[in-house]
Structures are given as C-alpha cells and as structure tokens.
C-alpha cells in the first residue's frame, strides 16, 4: 500500500480554491505560535483563517497562558503582512479533559499511543467548533514538526471531520521547507520557543533526539 502524499493533495486543493477565488473559512488548530507562523503565511493566501488555540495537554497552566499570549501576539504582528485578517479563539484550559483522554496510557513512550489520544482529543474539539460555527475546513499546525507523523494526524483529522461534517484539510506542513521557514519566522518575530513538548509526561521523560525546542 502506497503512502499518501498529503502535500500533493493539499497542492491540488489549493489550486482549485485559488481558481475559484472564494477564500473559504478555515479553523486552524494551533499548538503554539512558532508552528503557526509558517502555516499562517502559507494558507492565508487561500483562506479566511481563525486560529484555535486548544491544548489542554499543556502543563502547568502558566505555560498554557504564555503560549496563548504569544500566539495572539504573533497574529497581531503578522497581520499587516498577510493577505487578509486572521481571527483568534483561545480554548478553555481544562487539563482534566486531557488526563481523562490519556488514562491508561501514562506509561507510553513519547510519540506512542498516549500522543495518539492527545491528538485525537484536540482534533475532535477543533472539528466540533468548526461544525458549530460554520467553517468550511479545519486543520492543525501539528504536522509541521519533524517529530510528528503526518499520516497519523491526517487520519485522525479525517475521522474528526467525519464526526462533525467538516472537511479536514490534509497537510504535511514540514514539506516545502515549512519547518525551516517556521524557525526563520520565529527568529524574525522574537517568538518564545518552549523547551519541552507540553504535557507533564514529555517534561519528565527522556526526550527523543532533536526534540529540544519542539512544539507540542
């Protein structure tokens, strides 16, 4: 079975959207400002974007707030250079929802089944909000990380979209030097780059090579 090329799928859809000139509404789940920087630059040419910061996995609460504030700051500083305005929704911080979602997976290694449940939780909530508020697409910035499995993220995104009747925008944002560009934009805007994934398990456990300064 051949692995899907999510970047090519996205390219085809963006070409179609560009030809139609409709600029559909996109709800973009964001894990942090650095990861969203390139995605905003890339997709704002085709969509009217609302960034949804929803990450109940992050601990402690002060870290959650710091990343949310930085996300909103980035949107304001980038707005002048983007084709159209970007809106922002800050999700409620409810870590108990995350701990319930990963119950029984606490001992899993980073990148394993616990992360799958964490991704599922955040994508399901994004799809729910997208459906309630009439967005035409939703997606996540998570695939920009070299440590995140785009196939798993897109599969979970499609499942969430099917539950709430909103198409998931398949992507692999690390392609086309997306991750490299996100680092450049982070430096340009002086963004805070966290030194652990976000959850208590990633902070306590051993990091994989290259995980330093990675986003959730």
């Amino acid at each position: 079975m051949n692995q899907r090329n999510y970047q090519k799928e996205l390219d085809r859809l963006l070409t179609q959207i560009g030809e139609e000139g409709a600029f559909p509404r996109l709800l973009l789940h964001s894990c942090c400002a650095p990861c969203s920087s390139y995605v905003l630059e890339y997709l704002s040419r085709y969509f009217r974007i609302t960034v949804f910061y929803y990450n109940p996995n992050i601990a402690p609460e002060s870290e959650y707030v710091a990343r949310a504030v930085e996300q909103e700051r980035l949107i304001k500083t980038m707005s002048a250079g983007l084709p159209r305005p970007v809106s922002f929704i800050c999700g409620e911080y409810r870590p108990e929802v995350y701990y319930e979602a990963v119950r029984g997976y606490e001992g899993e290694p980073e990148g394993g089944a616990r992360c799958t449940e964490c991704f599922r939780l955040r994508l399901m909530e994004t799809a729910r909000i997208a459906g309630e508020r009439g967005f035409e697409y939703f997606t996540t910035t998570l695939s920009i990380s070299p440590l995140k499995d785009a196939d798993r993220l897109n599969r979970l995104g499609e499942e969430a979209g099917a539950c709430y009747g909103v198409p998931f925008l398949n992507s692999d944002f690390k392609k086309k030097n997306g991750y490299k560009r996100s680092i450049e934009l982070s430096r340009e805007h002086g963004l805070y780059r966290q030194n652990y994934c976000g959850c208590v398990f990633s902070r306590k456990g051993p990091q994989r090579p290259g995980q330093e300064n990675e986003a959730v």
Side-chain angles (χ1 to χ4, degrees), residues 73-148:
R73 183 179 74 83
L74 175 67
I75 291 171
K76 290 177 180 177
T77 58
M78 286 190 73
S79 289
L82 297 178
R84 50 196 51 81
V86 174
S87 302
F88 179 65
I89 300 172
C90 186
E92 183 181 2
Y93 182 60
R94 295 185 60 198
E96 70 276 9
V97 175
Y98 165 71
Y99 291 118
E100 180 60 32
V102 301
R103 186 183 300 275
Y105 296 98
E106 293 88 347
E108 288 286 321
E110 277 296 285
R114 185 183 63 247
C115 294
T116 298
E117 297 309 310
C118 178
F119 298 154
R120 190 194 312 278
L121 170 66
R122 291 186 278 174
L123 288 168
M124 279 291 186
E125 180 64 6
T126 307
R128 185 185 71 80
I129 295 294
E132 284 186 355
R133 304 194 184 191
F135 285 86
E136 292 156 275
Y137 294 91
F138 77 102
T139 194
T140 179
T141 64
L142 286 166
S143 71
I144 199 169
S145 169
L147 300 176
K148 299 295 188 294

Side-chain angles (χ1 to χ4, degrees), residues 37-189:
S37 59
Y38 164 74
V39 180
L40 289 173
E41 181 182 70
Y42 180 28
L43 294 185
S44 60
R45 292 173 286 171
Y46 306 95
F47 297 96
R48 290 172 289 155
I49 300 175
T50 295
V51 172
F52 180 41
Y53 176 80
Y54 176 71
N55 304 288
N57 57 305
I58 294 176
E61 184 175 5
S62 59
E63 179 71 14
Y64 185 90
V65 172
R67 297 189 196 189
V69 169
E70 195 71 338
Q71 177 65 81
E72 193 165 18
R73 183 179 74 83
L74 175 67
I75 291 171
K76 290 177 180 177
T77 58
M78 286 190 73
S79 289
L82 297 178
R84 50 196 51 81
V86 174
S87 302
F88 179 65
I89 300 172
C90 186
E92 183 181 2
Y93 182 60
R94 295 185 60 198
E96 70 276 9
V97 175
Y98 165 71
Y99 291 118
E100 180 60 32
V102 301
R103 186 183 300 275
Y105 296 98
E106 293 88 347
E108 288 286 321
E110 277 296 285
R114 185 183 63 247
C115 294
T116 298
E117 297 309 310
C118 178
F119 298 154
R120 190 194 312 278
L121 170 66
R122 291 186 278 174
L123 288 168
M124 279 291 186
E125 180 64 6
T126 307
R128 185 185 71 80
I129 295 294
E132 284 186 355
R133 304 194 184 191
F135 285 86
E136 292 156 275
Y137 294 91
F138 77 102
T139 194
T140 179
T141 64
L142 286 166
S143 71
I144 199 169
S145 169
L147 300 176
K148 299 295 188 294
D149 176 12
D151 186 65
R152 173 168 40 170
L153 288 165
N154 285 293
R155 174 176 53 82
L156 292 169
E158 289 178 346
E159 290 175 4
C163 286
Y164 291 98
V166 184
F168 181 73
L169 191 72
N170 286 316
S171 63
D172 191 356
F173 291 124
K174 67 180 71 66
K175 301 294 186 182
K176 292 189 171 182
N177 290 317
Y179 178 66
K180 179 181 177 182
R181 179 58 179 157
S182 74
I183 293 175
E184 293 172 351
L185 287 167
S186 295
R187 290 172 178 162
E188 179 181 330
H189 294 284

Side-chain angles (χ1 to χ4, degrees), residues 3 7 10 19 33 36 66 85 90 99 103 107 157 183 190 194 212:
Q3 188 173 9
Q7 182 59 52
L10 179 58
E19 291 172 350
S36 70
C90 186
Y99 291 118
R103 186 183 300 275
I183 293 175
Q194 55 280 352
E212 299 80 6

